Amino acid sequence: MGTKGSSSLWRRKQVHHTRHGDIELAKHLRIADLVSIGIGSTVGAGVYVLVGTVARERAGPALTISFLIAGIAAALAALCYAELSSRCPSAGSAYHYAYTCVGEGVAWIIGWGLILEYTVGGSTVARGIAPNLGVFVGGEENLPWLLIRRTIPSTEIIVDPCAAFLVIIVTALLCVGIRESARVQAAMVVLNVLVLLFVAGAGSYAGSKNGWKGYEQPDGYMPYGINGVLGGAATLFFAYIGFDTVASTAEEVKNPQRDLPLGIALALFICGGLYILVSGVIVGLVPYNLMDPDTPMSTAFAENGMPWATYVVAAGAVAALATTLMGSLLPQPRILMAMARDGLLPPFFSTVHPKTSVPVNGTILAGAVAAIMAFMMNVDELSGMVSVGTLLAFTIVSVCLLVLRYIPPPDTSKPVFPSRTSEGLPVVPKSPSRPIFTSQYPIFSPVLTILSEASLHSLPGRSTYGDYASSASSIGSPLQDETEELEEETRVFEIPPSYSREDLQNPLLMLEQPTNLSEASREEGRRHAAGLAILGVLIGVILISLATAATALPALLRWGLGSLGIPLFIAASTILCLIEQDDGQHKFGQPGGAYFTTKTNLPFISYLML
């Protein structure tokens, strides 16, 4: 009994496994929708506050350097999500990846951790709407009677009807449909971006008039040293979180192999550019030690003779709160639906509305819980758990990518290439053996490979087989006349009659190929060595993290943990770089997906260090 229960904790599922009778979500999202969702979930009201807090307490005028370092770290995490979401395009995000690559027990913890993260984060965001709305009416006390915060007599509970009302509105919008909610979020994102561009433009004009006095400080550009810049980057890292929301919509994307990597990359690039632009302007307007940590942008404009800009900044903050709240409530019902599909939750959560194609039960329940918490609970004490859940999810995603590259499950090693599409046309190979864009430096290959594979996938007439790819049209395809020649020149795998169409739609299903004993033994040894190396990397990261972050421990013990963790991390990383990734070929992943050709995992190993 104990052995059976223990084995179930590490039981892994197929990449696109769903129970019979499950209704999949409608595919309405394109690159523009994903970019707006990513920007809306990332550029929250925190940037309107973090600029002042980090500049005053940690980075000083070097705030732009902190934003740049945090952006690089976020880009490494985004690369992990980009590859996993394109290879495993299904609802559930990090929960789905953990269940596929690690096991059921870890997936269970990650799933509930994500639900707690999004619920607490959404409630915290909603409680910030009332102070920003009060700017337009001269204070919170001048808001309509129903929206004013009140303290319950004989208690210390402060109820916030405005926060609960906003959560209810966003929940109702999400129930209407993913297409409609994406359009509303796009409109709010445009407003938020325009406000940030106004801050950069008007601030540059004001700075040119006052001579950028914020940069003329006697203690230099880095008053707190390099440690202050790195500490500020650690705080600002959470200003980039939001691309995981894009990954949670993978099942609703029309072309996930192309759109998901590009959507995540573009959203993160735009957010990073806005952050660096705005921070560079604000720290030049006011000396960092005189910044208001609560309202840095408004006070900076007020001190430069532009008090009316307060209303523009408040409008941007309201738009940012609304889009961030939508980004917090959007993934929750999809994670609940994925867990219900896998039998870890009641089927109640897997119900999809036939007209809107939305998991309406999970959406309503998640919205109700978030509304109650936003209405009457002080979630400031729980906000720290959001950071813990986020880092845990990002770490598991990085581990999942290493597992999928080196020791994938037995049924996720090689794609199936059917001989013909549903229209009867021969399959055209999706890409050459090597990408169009390459780099002599392997660390840059992932980004270039994503773009090259996405470009190949967007060529007209490319045909693909499976649930998530679009087939070539039988009329007007420029490649149609050459299909007979390509069929003779291209190696096509023969499909045994024992494999059904449903089996072929699994993007990572491997057809059994006869192997001799020596090859099987060599492959087993490779997988065993890779597994130990991945475990060594993870243990090394944990030891290094304890040595650097656990300040309560004695200095000698921290030194010992670091002395053990650093060599272990370097040795395990070196072994991983020497081991071939699943026989060194593109043997797994959905045809036409974003493949990474480099054998070096430095981007992902570097992210684990964070």
Side-chain angles (χ1 to χ4, degrees):
M1 182 70 179
T3 305
K4 181 178 179 181
S6 177
S7 62
S8 64
L9 293 177
W10 305 105
R11 180 174 54 207
R12 298 188 282 187
K13 69 173 182 178
Q14 294 182 358
V15 172
H16 187 52
H17 169 73
T18 55
R19 293 171 176 262
H20 178 71
D22 284 341
I23 302 176
E24 293 188 351
L25 304 179
K27 302 182 184 301
H28 294 308
L29 301 180
R30 299 181 181 272
I31 292 180
D33 301 315
L34 297 178
V35 172
S36 65
I37 292 175
I39 296 176
S41 303
T42 303
V43 183
V47 68
Y48 292 88
V49 178
L50 287 177
V51 169
T53 303
V54 176
R56 180 170 181 146
E57 299 177 0
R58 294 184 179 273
L63 180 64
T64 53
I65 305 298
S66 296
F67 265 116
L68 179 61
I69 296 174
I72 294 174
L76 299 178
L79 285 175
C80 298
Y81 273 92
E83 182 170 353
L84 283 171
S85 61
S86 62
R87 290 182 175 181
C88 311
S90 183
S93 187
Y95 159 79
H96 176 62
Y97 311 146
Y99 205 157
T100 302
C101 301
V102 182
E104 184 178 291
V106 176
W108 171 265
I109 297 174
I110 292 297
W112 284 110
L114 289 174
I115 293 172
L116 176 63
E117 169 196 341
Y118 290 126
T119 303
V120 175
S123 303
T124 304
V125 167
R127 289 183 73 92
I129 192 67
N132 288 280
L133 288 178
V135 174
F136 299 99
V137 294
E140 293 185 57
E141 64 278 1
N142 296 325
L143 288 172
W145 181 80
L146 292 176
L147 301 180
I148 298 177
R149 289 182 178 179
R150 294 177 177 82
T151 302
I152 299 178
S154 304
T155 67
E156 297 181 356
I157 299 177
I158 301 177
V159 296
D160 193 341
C162 186
F165 184 64
L166 179 63
V167 172
I168 293 174
I169 293 177
V170 172
T171 302
L173 178 62
L174 292 176
C175 290
V176 173
I178 185 65
R179 180 189 299 168
E180 291 75 12
S181 59
R183 290 174 180 173
V184 174
Q185 189 169 25
M188 303 296 287
V189 165
V190 170
L191 175 60
N192 191 13
V193 171
L194 289 177
V195 169
L196 293 179
L197 292 177
F198 164 81
V199 170
S204 298
Y205 173 76
S208 62
K209 291 182 62 177
N210 68 12
W212 298 103
K213 59 184 179 181
Y215 288 110
E216 299 176 356
Q217 298 300 311
D219 45 4
Y221 185 68
M222 295 184 182
Y224 299 99
I226 188 64
N227 290 334
V229 174
L230 295 178
T235 302
L236 295 174
F237 174 79
F238 295 98
Y240 286 93
I241 294 176
F243 47 81
D244 52 333
T245 302
V246 179
S248 68
T249 64
E251 193 172 316
E252 297 160 281
V253 180
K254 290 187 175 182
N255 192 345
Q257 280 68 46
R258 180 195 66 183
D259 294 350
L260 280 171
L262 291 179
I264 292 174
L266 288 175
L268 191 62
F269 179 78
I270 294 173
C271 292
L274 289 173
Y275 288 162
I276 294 175
L277 184 63
V278 171
S279 62
V281 170
I282 294 300
V283 295
L285 293 179
V286 181
Y288 73 93
N289 53 352
L290 299 179
M291 277 191 176
D292 188 334
D294 297 324
T295 58
M297 294 185 185
S298 301
T299 54
F301 282 112
E303 293 185 10
N304 285 271
M306 302 172 64
W308 53 267
T310 301
Y311 300 101
V312 180
V313 174
V318 171
L321 286 168
T323 57
T324 305
L325 178 59
M326 193 175 299
S328 298
L329 296 180
L330 178 65
Q332 293 184 61
R334 284 147 184 84
I335 297 173
L336 293 171
M337 181 189 69
M339 297 177 71
R341 283 178 174 178
D342 298 330
L344 301 182
L345 286 178
F348 170 83
F349 294 99
S350 63
T351 302
V352 177
H353 196 277
K355 292 184 178 180
T356 61
S357 298
V358 171
V360 63
N361 293 341
T363 302
I364 295 176
L365 181 61
V369 173
I372 294 173
M373 293 183 64
F375 177 70
M376 59 182 306
M377 292 183 63
N378 185 7
V379 294
D380 292 339
E381 292 79 6
L382 298 177
S383 59
M385 300 181 65
V386 176
S387 303
V388 175
T390 302
L391 291 178
L392 179 61
F394 284 5
T395 302
I396 291 298
V397 166
S398 302
V399 172
C400 288
L401 185 56
L402 294 179
V403 170
L404 191 61
R405 285 184 169 193
Y406 289 99
I407 49 174
D411 63 338
T412 61
S413 285
K414 194 171 185 178
V416 173
F417 294 96
S419 59
R420 292 184 179 271
T421 65
S422 58
E423 290 83 0
L425 296 176
V427 170
V428 179
K430 289 302 301 176
S431 62
S433 58
R434 300 187 67 83
I436 293 177
F437 306 103
T438 57
S439 172
Q440 59 178 330
Y441 304 102
I443 194 171
F444 298 117
S445 296
V447 178
L448 299 177
T449 308
I450 282 181
L451 299 178
S452 64
E453 292 289 347
S455 301
L456 285 170
H457 193 72
S458 63
L459 290 177
R462 304 306 294 236
S463 61
T464 311
Y465 193 91
D467 289 339
Y468 298 98
S470 58
S471 299
S473 173
S474 59
I475 299 176
S477 173
L479 300 179
Q480 182 177 351
D481 298 335
E482 302 176 12
T483 51
E484 295 298 333
E485 296 178 6
L486 289 172
E487 183 181 20
E488 295 177 0
E489 296 175 1
T490 307
R491 179 184 176 186
V492 179
F493 292 95
E494 293 295 331
I495 303 173
S498 59
Y499 282 83
S500 63
R501 178 182 177 87
E502 181 178 356
D503 293 330
L504 294 177
Q505 292 177 346
N506 182 357
L508 303 186
L509 182 62
M510 179 182 68
L511 296 180
E512 296 182 0
Q513 302 289 341
T515 57
N516 55 44
L517 186 59
S518 61
E519 291 179 353
S521 177
R522 184 166 55 251
E523 174 64 13
E524 182 180 357
R526 186 197 66 81
R527 293 173 64 92
H528 184 68
L532 291 179
I534 293 174
L535 182 61
V537 169
L538 187 58
I539 294 176
V541 168
I542 294 175
L543 294 178
I544 296 173
S545 301
L546 289 175
T548 56
T551 56
L553 296 177
L556 183 61
L557 179 58
R558 294 172 59 192
W559 181 86
L561 293 175
S563 301
L564 291 175
I566 293 176
L568 178 61
F569 175 81
I570 295 175
S573 303
T574 304
I575 294 174
L576 273 183
C577 292
L578 297 176
I579 296 176
E580 290 184 336
Q581 297 182 15
D582 197 29
D583 205 21
Q585 303 294 330
H586 296 325
K587 291 179 59 178
F588 56 93
Q590 184 162 334
Y595 299 120
F596 290 178
T597 56
T598 175
K599 294 182 181 180
T600 304
N601 284 280
L602 290 180
F604 308 103
I605 295 173
S606 300
Y607 167 68
L608 282 173
M609 283 292 294
L610 297 176

